Amino acid sequence: MSSHREAPEISKDPVADSSDLYAFISPDDHDTVTLIANYVPLQLPASGPNFFEFGDDVLYEIHVDKNGDGRPDLTYQFRFRTELRNDRTFLYNTGPIESLDSANWNRRQFYSVTRVDESGKHTVLAEKLPCPPCNVGPLSIPDYGKLADDAVHKLKTGEKVFAGQRADPFFVDLGAIFDLATLRPFQDKHLVGQKLFNYAGKAVNATDQMNVHTIAIQVPLHAVRKDGKKKVRGRDPGAVIGVWTSASRRQVQVRHGAKDDNDVYVGPQVQVSRLGNPLFNEVIVPMAQKDLWNSLPPSEDKRFAEFVEQPELAGLLPVLYPGLFDNLAELNKSKHPRADLVAILLTGIPDGLIEDFQNNTGETQADMLRLNTAVPPAKEENAFGLLGGDLAGFPNGRRLADDVVSISLRAIAGVTVPLVDEKFKPDAAAAQVEQGLTAKDVSSKLLKKFPFLGVPFDGFNNPEAAK
């Protein structure tokens, strides 16, 4: 979770594994949208002498759908190249790294940014942009924050980009979630109506003090919107975009000749990973189809609609917690498709269900982060997003501090069913389901400016709070 090692094959290929995707109106510039895709999950900070990096043989992409057909109308491609300065040392750096062009930094990584429009036209926006180094330690990198700031690049076309190591902002109690969905909030006991939950103790953030490799881009609103408007406010039906990320590798075939002469054939790019909504492939798609899902575009997600309409986890909750989800159990027995989950995950929420809000993209069923760009950032964020009355939070896009695990669990437990069925009464327990973690349980605090993710861990010290 969110999509850390979420499918059998991609778990063997971490440099192409998309672990989290975020999309939100930039709090530091309301006329832009920030898109963040994290890769190379679960990095232990002390990982030398071969520190983590992007794959030179991987094509990383962030896609934007402007018209709701589940196909990209705008794509940003990122390609990386690694350069070795000294082939006579095993060291990542031979002295302090005080700048992005430091002679002491032996293994450097650069990247290009290419924009692809709806007609398929490719435009190279930048080449050989430097990534910051991995955060080796305080002696090797005395001022990591400054180096990371220097690695934020403003492009001539208006975009702002960053690619490099950051602290993983995702928070989840993996041990509890996958130990038969044990619920472990901070309290040892919690009353729901007349029932008593017995928890296994305090929640533990399993991804804390781990790093990821982040691709972040801040894009002017007019570039992502179909109508090209620079500023949009209010209930604008044309303000909704769909976002997902993908990673692809070249298809390669080795053919053996009669005299041990081998011919290598390099084919087209093949998608090996993708991510839209958090947890979709993780807990919705059956294990036997996870690798297939990773290979397909969102426009093909109608193949998986049955697993959204009747999610496996919804059937497990009444079994794991007898007597607490009786209404959900009756709903499961009725076999009525979960139209609420279809709206949240596959089509967006239509106008009229939530006051002054919609992020519907039409009839095409596609797993994308849907963001209504007409909704400004909240003055005070609620970690439960739409469920907490915060229209700027998940599932309207996704912010770094949104508790997507608890939001998803509550939705599956039945909290969102009344949106489409006024007669359904959610179980009292459904509104109390949470994993017992917040963004405060991430040791590296978020930044207040782009690229927003905290300073990566260096193996010696926890990063200081964001400035």
Side-chain angles (χ1 to χ4, degrees), residues 271-322:
Q271 182 177 294
V272 296
S273 174
R274 72 162 160 127
L275 177 60
N277 281 293
L279 313 174
F280 192 97
N281 198 15
E282 190 92 26
V283 299
I284 297 292
V285 180
M287 187 173 293
Q289 298 189 45
K290 289 182 181 296
D291 295 325
L292 171 65
W293 185 91
N294 265 335
S295 71
L296 295 173
S299 57
E300 294 293 321
D301 284 340
K302 60 185 177 183
R303 301 188 188 191
F304 307 95
E306 63 176 295
F307 306 115
V308 177
E309 294 173 344
Q310 300 291 333
E312 181 182 10
L313 184 56
L316 289 175
L317 286 174
V319 176
L320 295 173
Y321 299 95

Side-chain angles (χ1 to χ4, degrees), residues 133-264:
C134 287
N135 198 0
V136 179
L139 294 181
S140 292
I141 308 178
D143 190 350
Y144 193 89
K146 181 182 182 302
L147 277 185
D149 286 343
D150 292 342
V152 174
H153 308 284
K154 183 68 177 289
L155 307 184
K156 294 180 180 179
T157 46
E159 296 89 349
K160 189 182 291 185
V161 295
F162 172 90
Q165 189 181 52
R166 304 307 291 167
D168 193 343
F170 183 56
F171 49 96
V172 62
D173 190 345
L174 285 175
I177 293 296
F178 288 109
D179 185 15
L180 295 179
T182 305
L183 303 175
R184 305 197 307 188
F186 290 118
Q187 298 85 5
D188 291 331
K189 295 180 180 180
H190 189 72
L191 285 170
V192 179
Q194 300 301 314
K195 305 295 182 180
L196 180 67
F197 275 122
N198 290 312
Y199 295 106
K202 183 178 179 180
V204 176
N205 182 11
T207 57
D208 192 31
Q209 301 189 32
M210 290 190 178
N211 298 325
V212 291
H213 265 58
T214 295
I215 297 172
I217 184 165
Q218 200 169 74
V219 186
L221 281 179
H222 68 84
V224 300
R225 288 178 49 84
K226 185 178 181 179
D227 57 17
K229 291 183 179 179
K230 294 184 178 181
K231 292 187 178 182
V232 181
R233 295 293 180 263
R235 297 175 64 185
D236 185 342
V240 181
I241 61 174
V243 182
W244 72 98
T245 185
S246 66
S248 302
R249 288 186 174 278
R250 286 284 186 187
Q251 187 179 61
V252 178
Q253 185 179 42
V254 179
R255 297 180 180 177
H256 300 286
K259 296 182 179 180
D260 295 327
D261 293 326
N262 296 331
D263 292 326
V264 178

Side-chain angles (χ1 to χ4, degrees), residues 6 99 103 115 171 220 236 279 295 314 341 343 390 394 408 419 433:
E6 89 289 347
S99 66
R115 183 179 61 205
F171 49 96
D236 185 342
L279 313 174
S295 71
L341 298 181
D390 183 351
F394 180 75
S408 300
L419 291 176
V433 172

Side-chain angles (χ1 to χ4, degrees), residues 2 19-23 36-38 62 243-245 275-276 278 369 398:
S2 163
S19 61
D20 281 288
L21 175 69
Y22 304 89
I36 298 174
N38 288 339
I62 297 177
V243 182
W244 72 98
T245 185
L275 177 60
L369 269 183
R398 180 187 176 189

Side-chain angles (χ1 to χ4, degrees), residues 87-135:
D87 62 2
R88 306 292 292 178
T89 180
F90 71 91
L91 293 171
Y92 182 76
N93 58 294
T94 55
I97 302 174
E98 297 178 335
S99 66
L100 293 178
D101 60 356
S102 171
N104 293 325
W105 184 11
N106 186 38
R107 189 174 177 89
R108 303 172 69 200
Q109 199 161 50
F110 302 88
Y111 65 100
S112 66
V113 183
T114 300
R115 183 179 61 205
V116 186
D117 65 19
E118 62 271 14
S119 66
K121 179 183 177 182
H122 288 61
T123 303
V124 178
L125 304 183
E127 294 184 286
K128 205 171 183 180
L129 298 176
C131 299
C134 287
N135 198 0

